[in-house]
Amino acid sequence: MTMTNAIYANATVSITELRRNPGAVIEEAGLEPVAILNHNRATAYLVPADAFEIMMEKLEDIDLAELVRKRRHGKTVKVSLDDL
């Protein structure tokens, strides 16, 4: 039985092709991720810097939201704006 793995990109490129001309792959990708294939299996993703930065910000937001949920019913401290 052959297992298939999901590919989370609309574009794919072989690792050999990436080695031959990485600049062309990056240029063709534009703002979209590219799955890097080795023996027809996704082994890495090439993600544009802007998209990566957005992903990192969203992950940070998720972490902060979880922290807020954990502290929601914790001890509170009253602070006036003048004290800040």
Side-chain angles (χ1 to χ4, degrees):
M1 179 196 268
T2 303
M3 290 284 277
T4 58
N5 294 359
I7 294 180
Y8 300 100
N10 291 328
T12 61
V13 65
S14 71
I15 199 162
T16 303
E17 190 175 340
L18 178 64
R19 282 185 192 135
R20 283 187 195 135
N21 198 346
V25 172
I26 292 168
E27 187 176 321
E28 276 188 51
L31 299 175
E32 298 295 320
V34 177
I36 309 302
L37 305 180
N38 189 17
H39 300 291
N40 293 323
R41 291 188 56 161
T43 58
Y45 288 90
L46 175 67
V47 181
D50 289 344
F52 184 81
E53 291 166 6
I54 290 168
M55 287 183 346
M56 295 309 293
E57 288 174 9
K58 287 184 179 188
L59 288 172
E60 185 178 337
D61 289 349
I62 290 169
D63 288 343
L64 290 173
E66 181 62 25
L67 183 60
V68 167
R69 277 192 286 284
K70 285 180 181 177
R71 293 182 178 178
R72 184 179 322 177
H73 300 293
K75 184 179 174 184
T76 60
V77 177
K78 291 191 181 235
V79 179
S80 74
L81 290 176
D82 293 334
D83 293 339
L84 298 175

